[in-house]
Amino acid sequence: ITAYATRLARDMDTLIVFDYSSTVEAFIAALAPARKIYVPESRIIDGGRPFLQTFADAGHDVHFIPDAAMLTVLDECKGAFIGAETFYPDGTAFNTAGSDILAELCKARNIPYYVLTPLIKLDMRATKGIFKQPIAGDMTARLGTGLPPKLVGQIDFTCTELVGVPPAHVTAFVTEEGIIPTNALFAISAAYDKRTNPENERNAL
């Protein structure tokens, strides 16, 4: 995946990455020569922070910005890259909230948006009508810091953590089988599922 993504980004001098993904981290660390890399903070899980040391050690020009500032730098970026918690065979990619905002912005500005993921993250249950349920988290520890305790007790700090990025906003998935346009992902996914899951398990869904 790292090799394919590195080739994909060969002519991109400025990139933006979102959330944390060990696959994305390995890809950026392998990029040479050095590039300008924007890392939005991914505040919900502090997902951008774990990238910083690796990217700096690789010699990149790293910019750590608030996620609300993504639009201010996006016109510089030649490509956006995220990982995936899971993905559906139709090309829906699940990742931390904010990934969807970046995807919307990239779509509006014709900036390619790539999902780097091994095929093991595939969730075929959607083909049986079984869909992921929304995942919400309590952000009190992050957002309530510095507020009066009484006020904290009066406020609801819950919000959605995991979102689906729709296929229309994803340029391609970068997997161990290559750079796959979203409209070609279903066939690759079905073949992978047939190859790796016993028939009785697939039929039991």
Side-chain angles (χ1 to χ4, degrees):
I1 296 172
T2 298
Y4 293 142
T6 300
R7 294 171 192 163
L8 189 62
R10 183 180 293 118
D11 297 324
M12 299 180 183
D13 57 4
T14 304
L15 310 177
I16 188 168
V17 301
F18 193 83
D19 197 33
Y20 176 76
S21 158
S22 59
T23 306
V24 172
E25 182 179 51
F27 151 57
I28 298 294
L31 276 177
R35 318 292 169 89
K36 180 185 283 189
I37 310 293
Y38 282 106
V39 182
E41 63 178 341
S42 185
R43 189 173 190 188
I44 285 181
I45 62 168
D46 208 12
R49 194 176 302 272
F51 282 138
L52 301 180
Q53 191 65 63
T54 299
F55 292 179
D57 288 346
H60 295 300
D61 178 14
V62 185
H63 296 252
F64 189 43
I65 62 174
D67 49 9
M70 289 190 288
L71 185 57
T72 68
V73 303
L74 203 57
D75 286 341
E76 296 180 49
C77 299
K78 303 303 189 298
F81 296 83
I82 69 163
E85 185 264 354
T86 49
F87 68 94
Y88 288 160
D90 71 347
T92 301
F94 290 89
N95 203 28
T96 304
S99 303
D100 49 349
I101 297 173
L102 180 58
E104 293 266 2
L105 296 174
C106 287
K107 182 73 172 179
R109 282 165 166 69
N110 295 313
I111 296 167
Y113 184 96
Y114 297 103
V115 178
L116 276 58
T117 180
L119 290 172
I120 198 171
K121 299 280 188 79
L122 170 66
D123 185 349
M124 285 294 287
R125 293 177 299 170
T127 63
K128 306 290 186 179
I130 303 170
F131 301 101
K132 295 175 71 67
Q133 296 303 304
I135 297 176
D138 184 351
M139 300 292 109
T140 303
R142 293 195 184 281
L143 300 181
T145 302
L147 295 178
K150 181 181 177 181
L151 180 58
V152 170
Q154 297 174 294
I155 304 297
D156 185 344
F157 291 93
T158 58
C159 74
T160 299
E161 287 188 351
L162 188 71
V163 296
V165 177
H169 291 169
V170 178
T171 304
F173 282 71
V174 185
T175 77
E176 63 268 35
E177 293 201 14
I179 301 165
I180 305 169
T182 311
N183 60 8
L185 187 64
F186 191 93
I188 298 290
S189 297
Y192 175 82
D193 184 55
K194 185 175 182 179
R195 188 167 68 247
T196 58
N197 292 323
E199 184 174 0
N200 62 328
E201 289 187 12
R202 286 186 278 115
N203 292 337
L205 291 177

PDB file of all heavy atoms in Angstrom, residues 171-198:
ATOM      1  N   THR A 171     -11.954   9.418  -4.302  1.00  0.00           N
ATOM      2  CA  THR A 171     -11.369   9.256  -5.636  1.00  0.00           C
ATOM      3  C   THR A 171     -10.987   7.806  -5.890  1.00  0.00           C
ATOM      4  O   THR A 171     -11.281   7.245  -6.952  1.00  0.00           O
ATOM      5  CB  THR A 171     -10.124  10.148  -5.776  1.00  0.00           C
ATOM      6  OG1 THR A 171     -10.495  11.502  -5.495  1.00  0.00           O
ATOM      7  CG2 THR A 171      -9.531  10.048  -7.172  1.00  0.00           C
ATOM      8  N   ALA A 172     -10.323   7.191  -4.900  1.00  0.00           N
ATOM      9  CA  ALA A 172      -9.904   5.797  -5.041  1.00  0.00           C
ATOM     10  C   ALA A 172      -9.495   5.254  -3.685  1.00  0.00           C
ATOM     11  O   ALA A 172      -9.147   6.009  -2.767  1.00  0.00           O
ATOM     12  CB  ALA A 172      -8.751   5.663  -6.032  1.00  0.00           C
ATOM     13  N   PHE A 173      -9.529   3.945  -3.568  1.00  0.00           N
ATOM     14  CA  PHE A 173      -8.988   3.232  -2.416  1.00  0.00           C
ATOM     15  C   PHE A 173      -7.616   2.702  -2.801  1.00  0.00           C
ATOM     16  O   PHE A 173      -7.438   2.156  -3.903  1.00  0.00           O
ATOM     17  CB  PHE A 173      -9.895   2.067  -2.021  1.00  0.00           C
ATOM     18  CG  PHE A 173     -11.122   2.473  -1.249  1.00  0.00           C
ATOM     19  CD1 PHE A 173     -12.158   3.160  -1.876  1.00  0.00           C
ATOM     20  CD2 PHE A 173     -11.233   2.184   0.095  1.00  0.00           C
ATOM     21  CE1 PHE A 173     -13.281   3.547  -1.176  1.00  0.00           C
ATOM     22  CE2 PHE A 173     -12.358   2.561   0.815  1.00  0.00           C
ATOM     23  CZ  PHE A 173     -13.385   3.251   0.173  1.00  0.00           C
ATOM     24  N   VAL A 174      -6.656   2.870  -1.920  1.00  0.00           N
ATOM     25  CA  VAL A 174      -5.317   2.341  -2.148  1.00  0.00           C
ATOM     26  C   VAL A 174      -5.162   1.129  -1.230  1.00  0.00           C
ATOM     27  O   VAL A 174      -5.121   1.262  -0.003  1.00  0.00           O
ATOM     28  CB  VAL A 174      -4.233   3.387  -1.880  1.00  0.00           C
ATOM     29  CG1 VAL A 174      -2.861   2.829  -2.249  1.00  0.00           C
ATOM     30  CG2 VAL A 174      -4.510   4.669  -2.660  1.00  0.00           C
ATOM     31  N   THR A 175      -5.104  -0.051  -1.821  1.00  0.00           N
ATOM     32  CA  THR A 175      -5.058  -1.299  -1.076  1.00  0.00           C
ATOM     33  C   THR A 175      -3.851  -2.121  -1.531  1.00  0.00           C
ATOM     34  O   THR A 175      -3.116  -1.722  -2.443  1.00  0.00           O
ATOM     35  CB  THR A 175      -6.338  -2.121  -1.312  1.00  0.00           C
ATOM     36  OG1 THR A 175      -6.261  -2.759  -2.607  1.00  0.00           O
ATOM     37  CG2 THR A 175      -7.583  -1.248  -1.249  1.00  0.00           C
ATOM     38  N   GLU A 176      -3.693  -3.279  -0.921  1.00  0.00           N
ATOM     39  CA  GLU A 176      -2.595  -4.156  -1.319  1.00  0.00           C
ATOM     40  C   GLU A 176      -2.774  -4.694  -2.741  1.00  0.00           C
ATOM     41  O   GLU A 176      -1.836  -5.234  -3.330  1.00  0.00           O
ATOM     42  CB  GLU A 176      -2.428  -5.313  -0.327  1.00  0.00           C
ATOM     43  CG  GLU A 176      -3.602  -6.261  -0.229  1.00  0.00           C
ATOM     44  CD  GLU A 176      -4.597  -5.863   0.851  1.00  0.00           C
ATOM     45  OE1 GLU A 176      -4.801  -4.647   1.069  1.00  0.00           O
ATOM     46  OE2 GLU A 176      -5.191  -6.777   1.464  1.00  0.00           O
ATOM     47  N   GLU A 177      -3.975  -4.545  -3.299  1.00  0.00           N
ATOM     48  CA  GLU A 177      -4.216  -4.990  -4.673  1.00  0.00           C
ATOM     49  C   GLU A 177      -4.137  -3.848  -5.680  1.00  0.00           C
ATOM     50  O   GLU A 177      -4.405  -4.039  -6.868  1.00  0.00           O
ATOM     51  CB  GLU A 177      -5.570  -5.699  -4.763  1.00  0.00           C
ATOM     52  CG  GLU A 177      -5.578  -7.016  -3.992  1.00  0.00           C
ATOM     53  CD  GLU A 177      -6.657  -7.964  -4.457  1.00  0.00           C
ATOM     54  OE1 GLU A 177      -7.231  -7.740  -5.534  1.00  0.00           O
ATOM     55  OE2 GLU A 177      -6.915  -8.938  -3.745  1.00  0.00           O
ATOM     56  N   GLY A 178      -3.762  -2.659  -5.206  1.00  0.00           N
ATOM     57  CA  GLY A 178      -3.570  -1.546  -6.126  1.00  0.00           C
ATOM     58  C   GLY A 178      -4.437  -0.348  -5.804  1.00  0.00           C
ATOM     59  O   GLY A 178      -5.091  -0.291  -4.761  1.00  0.00           O
ATOM     60  N   ILE A 179      -4.425   0.611  -6.710  1.00  0.00           N
ATOM     61  CA  ILE A 179      -5.206   1.841  -6.595  1.00  0.00           C
ATOM     62  C   ILE A 179      -6.534   1.588  -7.297  1.00  0.00           C
ATOM     63  O   ILE A 179      -6.592   1.491  -8.525  1.00  0.00           O
ATOM     64  CB  ILE A 179      -4.453   3.020  -7.224  1.00  0.00           C
ATOM     65  CG1 ILE A 179      -3.100   3.201  -6.533  1.00  0.00           C
ATOM     66  CG2 ILE A 179      -5.273   4.302  -7.151  1.00  0.00           C
ATOM     67  CD1 ILE A 179      -2.128   4.080  -7.295  1.00  0.00           C
ATOM     68  N   ILE A 180      -7.590   1.473  -6.511  1.00  0.00           N
ATOM     69  CA  ILE A 180      -8.868   0.993  -7.029  1.00  0.00           C
ATOM     70  C   ILE A 180      -9.893   2.123  -7.042  1.00  0.00           C
ATOM     71  O   ILE A 180     -10.288   2.626  -5.984  1.00  0.00           O
ATOM     72  CB  ILE A 180      -9.403  -0.165  -6.159  1.00  0.00           C
ATOM     73  CG1 ILE A 180      -8.352  -1.288  -6.066  1.00  0.00           C
ATOM     74  CG2 ILE A 180     -10.713  -0.687  -6.716  1.00  0.00           C
ATOM     75  CD1 ILE A 180      -8.681  -2.334  -5.032  1.00  0.00           C
ATOM     76  N   PRO A 181     -10.345   2.556  -8.211  1.00  0.00           N
ATOM     77  CA  PRO A 181     -11.431   3.545  -8.266  1.00  0.00           C
ATOM     78  C   PRO A 181     -12.650   3.008  -7.531  1.00  0.00           C
ATOM     79  O   PRO A 181     -12.905   1.787  -7.507  1.00  0.00           O
ATOM     80  CB  PRO A 181     -11.705   3.697  -9.767  1.00  0.00           C
ATOM     81  CG  PRO A 181     -10.452   3.225 -10.435  1.00  0.00           C
ATOM     82  CD  PRO A 181      -9.899   2.154  -9.547  1.00  0.00           C
ATOM     83  N   THR A 182     -13.402   3.893  -6.928  1.00  0.00           N
ATOM     84  CA  THR A 182     -14.527   3.466  -6.101  1.00  0.00           C
ATOM     85  C   THR A 182     -15.502   2.580  -6.865  1.00  0.00           C
ATOM     86  O   THR A 182     -16.020   1.607  -6.317  1.00  0.00           O
ATOM     87  CB  THR A 182     -15.257   4.700  -5.543  1.00  0.00           C
ATOM     88  OG1 THR A 182     -14.297   5.587  -4.971  1.00  0.00           O
ATOM     89  CG2 THR A 182     -16.245   4.310  -4.468  1.00  0.00           C
ATOM     90  N   ASN A 183     -15.742   2.887  -8.132  1.00  0.00           N
ATOM     91  CA  ASN A 183     -16.719   2.104  -8.890  1.00  0.00           C
ATOM     92  C   ASN A 183     -16.221   0.706  -9.239  1.00  0.00           C
ATOM     93  O   ASN A 183     -16.983  -0.112  -9.758  1.00  0.00           O
ATOM     94  CB  ASN A 183     -17.181   2.851 -10.143  1.00  0.00           C
ATOM     95  CG  ASN A 183     -16.042   3.158 -11.097  1.00  0.00           C
ATOM     96  OD1 ASN A 183     -14.920   2.689 -10.920  1.00  0.00           O
ATOM     97  ND2 ASN A 183     -16.324   3.957 -12.121  1.00  0.00           N
ATOM     98  N   ALA A 184     -14.957   0.421  -8.967  1.00  0.00           N
ATOM     99  CA  ALA A 184     -14.413  -0.924  -9.209  1.00  0.00           C
ATOM    100  C   ALA A 184     -14.231  -1.704  -7.916  1.00  0.00           C
ATOM    101  O   ALA A 184     -13.809  -2.868  -7.943  1.00  0.00           O
ATOM    102  CB  ALA A 184     -13.077  -0.814  -9.940  1.00  0.00           C
ATOM    103  N   LEU A 185     -14.561  -1.081  -6.787  1.00  0.00           N
ATOM    104  CA  LEU A 185     -14.243  -1.693  -5.496  1.00  0.00           C
ATOM    105  C   LEU A 185     -15.113  -2.902  -5.179  1.00  0.00           C
ATOM    106  O   LEU A 185     -14.654  -3.848  -4.530  1.00  0.00           O
ATOM    107  CB  LEU A 185     -14.386  -0.648  -4.382  1.00  0.00           C
ATOM    108  CG  LEU A 185     -13.922  -1.076  -2.991  1.00  0.00           C
ATOM    109  CD1 LEU A 185     -12.418  -1.351  -2.980  1.00  0.00           C
ATOM    110  CD2 LEU A 185     -14.269  -0.001  -1.950  1.00  0.00           C
ATOM    111  N   PHE A 186     -16.352  -2.909  -5.652  1.00  0.00           N
ATOM    112  CA  PHE A 186     -17.246  -4.004  -5.287  1.00  0.00           C
ATOM    113  C   PHE A 186     -16.707  -5.344  -5.778  1.00  0.00           C
ATOM    114  O   PHE A 186     -16.695  -6.327  -5.032  1.00  0.00           O
ATOM    115  CB  PHE A 186     -18.656  -3.780  -5.837  1.00  0.00           C
ATOM    116  CG  PHE A 186     -19.656  -4.742  -5.255  1.00  0.00           C
ATOM    117  CD1 PHE A 186     -20.395  -4.399  -4.145  1.00  0.00           C
ATOM    118  CD2 PHE A 186     -19.843  -6.002  -5.814  1.00  0.00           C
ATOM    119  CE1 PHE A 186     -21.299  -5.292  -3.586  1.00  0.00           C
ATOM    120  CE2 PHE A 186     -20.737  -6.901  -5.266  1.00  0.00           C
ATOM    121  CZ  PHE A 186     -21.481  -6.545  -4.150  1.00  0.00           C
ATOM    122  N   ALA A 187     -16.264  -5.396  -7.014  1.00  0.00           N
ATOM    123  CA  ALA A 187     -15.762  -6.663  -7.565  1.00  0.00           C
ATOM    124  C   ALA A 187     -14.527  -7.142  -6.803  1.00  0.00           C
ATOM    125  O   ALA A 187     -14.398  -8.339  -6.495  1.00  0.00           O
ATOM    126  CB  ALA A 187     -15.437  -6.492  -9.046  1.00  0.00           C
ATOM    127  N   ILE A 188     -13.627  -6.213  -6.474  1.00  0.00           N
ATOM    128  CA  ILE A 188     -12.431  -6.567  -5.706  1.00  0.00           C
ATOM    129  C   ILE A 188     -12.829  -7.061  -4.325  1.00  0.00           C
ATOM    130  O   ILE A 188     -12.284  -8.058  -3.814  1.00  0.00           O
ATOM    131  CB  ILE A 188     -11.496  -5.339  -5.579  1.00  0.00           C
ATOM    132  CG1 ILE A 188     -11.022  -4.870  -6.952  1.00  0.00           C
ATOM    133  CG2 ILE A 188     -10.317  -5.651  -4.663  1.00  0.00           C
ATOM    134  CD1 ILE A 188     -10.070  -5.785  -7.650  1.00  0.00           C
ATOM    135  N   SER A 189     -13.802  -6.396  -3.708  1.00  0.00           N
ATOM    136  CA  SER A 189     -14.245  -6.758  -2.359  1.00  0.00           C
ATOM    137  C   SER A 189     -14.895  -8.142  -2.351  1.00  0.00           C
ATOM    138  O   SER A 189     -14.627  -8.962  -1.466  1.00  0.00           O
ATOM    139  CB  SER A 189     -15.231  -5.718  -1.833  1.00  0.00           C
ATOM    140  OG  SER A 189     -14.635  -4.457  -1.715  1.00  0.00           O
ATOM    141  N   ALA A 190     -15.765  -8.388  -3.315  1.00  0.00           N
ATOM    142  CA  ALA A 190     -16.449  -9.683  -3.376  1.00  0.00           C
ATOM    143  C   ALA A 190     -15.455 -10.821  -3.576  1.00  0.00           C
ATOM    144  O   ALA A 190     -15.567 -11.883  -2.946  1.00  0.00           O
ATOM    145  CB  ALA A 190     -17.487  -9.669  -4.492  1.00  0.00           C
ATOM    146  N   ALA A 191     -14.467 -10.606  -4.428  1.00  0.00           N
ATOM    147  CA  ALA A 191     -13.447 -11.639  -4.664  1.00  0.00           C
ATOM    148  C   ALA A 191     -12.616 -11.870  -3.406  1.00  0.00           C
ATOM    149  O   ALA A 191     -12.291 -13.016  -3.069  1.00  0.00           O
ATOM    150  CB  ALA A 191     -12.561 -11.224  -5.832  1.00  0.00           C
ATOM    151  N   TYR A 192     -12.275 -10.792  -2.715  1.00  0.00           N
ATOM    152  CA  TYR A 192     -11.494 -10.918  -1.477  1.00  0.00           C
ATOM    153  C   TYR A 192     -12.300 -11.661  -0.419  1.00  0.00           C
ATOM    154  O   TYR A 192     -11.780 -12.555   0.258  1.00  0.00           O
ATOM    155  CB  TYR A 192     -11.116  -9.529  -0.966  1.00  0.00           C
ATOM    156  CG  TYR A 192     -10.404  -9.550   0.371  1.00  0.00           C
ATOM    157  CD1 TYR A 192      -9.041  -9.811   0.439  1.00  0.00           C
ATOM    158  CD2 TYR A 192     -11.100  -9.326   1.551  1.00  0.00           C
ATOM    159  CE1 TYR A 192      -8.390  -9.843   1.669  1.00  0.00           C
ATOM    160  CE2 TYR A 192     -10.461  -9.360   2.776  1.00  0.00           C
ATOM    161  CZ  TYR A 192      -9.105  -9.613   2.831  1.00  0.00           C
ATOM    162  OH  TYR A 192      -8.462  -9.658   4.047  1.00  0.00           O
ATOM    163  N   ASP A 193     -13.573 -11.315  -0.279  1.00  0.00           N
ATOM    164  CA  ASP A 193     -14.420 -11.976   0.713  1.00  0.00           C
ATOM    165  C   ASP A 193     -14.557 -13.461   0.410  1.00  0.00           C
ATOM    166  O   ASP A 193     -14.469 -14.306   1.312  1.00  0.00           O
ATOM    167  CB  ASP A 193     -15.793 -11.308   0.722  1.00  0.00           C
ATOM    168  CG  ASP A 193     -16.708 -11.867   1.789  1.00  0.00           C
ATOM    169  OD1 ASP A 193     -16.308 -11.858   2.972  1.00  0.00           O
ATOM    170  OD2 ASP A 193     -17.823 -12.303   1.452  1.00  0.00           O
ATOM    171  N   LYS A 194     -14.743 -13.808  -0.841  1.00  0.00           N
ATOM    172  CA  LYS A 194     -14.868 -15.220  -1.235  1.00  0.00           C
ATOM    173  C   LYS A 194     -13.578 -15.975  -0.966  1.00  0.00           C
ATOM    174  O   LYS A 194     -13.591 -17.143  -0.561  1.00  0.00           O
ATOM    175  CB  LYS A 194     -15.241 -15.306  -2.717  1.00  0.00           C
ATOM    176  CG  LYS A 194     -15.516 -16.718  -3.196  1.00  0.00           C
ATOM    177  CD  LYS A 194     -16.000 -16.723  -4.636  1.00  0.00           C
ATOM    178  CE  LYS A 194     -16.322 -18.128  -5.098  1.00  0.00           C
ATOM    179  NZ  LYS A 194     -16.811 -18.138  -6.508  1.00  0.00           N
ATOM    180  N   ARG A 195     -12.455 -15.291  -1.154  1.00  0.00           N
ATOM    181  CA  ARG A 195     -11.146 -15.925  -0.969  1.00  0.00           C
ATOM    182  C   ARG A 195     -10.792 -16.121   0.504  1.00  0.00           C
ATOM    183  O   ARG A 195     -10.103 -17.077   0.848  1.00  0.00           O
ATOM    184  CB  ARG A 195     -10.090 -15.046  -1.647  1.00  0.00           C
ATOM    185  CG  ARG A 195      -8.699 -15.632  -1.719  1.00  0.00           C
ATOM    186  CD  ARG A 195      -7.819 -14.842  -2.677  1.00  0.00           C
ATOM    187  NE  ARG A 195      -7.511 -13.503  -2.195  1.00  0.00           N
ATOM    188  CZ  ARG A 195      -7.939 -12.388  -2.750  1.00  0.00           C
ATOM    189  NH1 ARG A 195      -8.706 -12.432  -3.825  1.00  0.00           N
ATOM    190  NH2 ARG A 195      -7.610 -11.203  -2.253  1.00  0.00           N
ATOM    191  N   THR A 196     -11.269 -15.249   1.358  1.00  0.00           N
ATOM    192  CA  THR A 196     -10.808 -15.259   2.749  1.00  0.00           C
ATOM    193  C   THR A 196     -11.827 -15.755   3.761  1.00  0.00           C
ATOM    194  O   THR A 196     -11.449 -16.137   4.868  1.00  0.00           O
ATOM    195  CB  THR A 196     -10.367 -13.850   3.176  1.00  0.00           C
ATOM    196  OG1 THR A 196     -11.464 -12.935   3.020  1.00  0.00           O
ATOM    197  CG2 THR A 196      -9.182 -13.390   2.352  1.00  0.00           C
ATOM    198  N   ASN A 197     -13.126 -15.773   3.403  1.00  0.00           N
ATOM    199  CA  ASN A 197     -14.157 -16.207   4.340  1.00  0.00           C
ATOM    200  C   ASN A 197     -14.809 -17.490   3.869  1.00  0.00           C
ATOM    201  O   ASN A 197     -15.259 -17.578   2.717  1.00  0.00           O
ATOM    202  CB  ASN A 197     -15.235 -15.126   4.506  1.00  0.00           C
ATOM    203  CG  ASN A 197     -14.701 -13.902   5.223  1.00  0.00           C
ATOM    204  OD1 ASN A 197     -13.898 -14.012   6.142  1.00  0.00           O
ATOM    205  ND2 ASN A 197     -15.141 -12.725   4.794  1.00  0.00           N
ATOM    206  N   PRO A 198     -14.893 -18.501   4.740  1.00  0.00           N
ATOM    207  CA  PRO A 198     -15.569 -19.743   4.354  1.00  0.00           C
ATOM    208  C   PRO A 198     -17.005 -19.470   3.929  1.00  0.00           C
ATOM    209  O   PRO A 198     -17.654 -18.556   4.435  1.00  0.00           O
ATOM    210  CB  PRO A 198     -15.538 -20.575   5.652  1.00  0.00           C
ATOM    211  CG  PRO A 198     -14.413 -19.997   6.446  1.00  0.00           C
ATOM    212  CD  PRO A 198     -14.380 -18.533   6.102  1.00  0.00           C
TER     213      PRO A 198
END
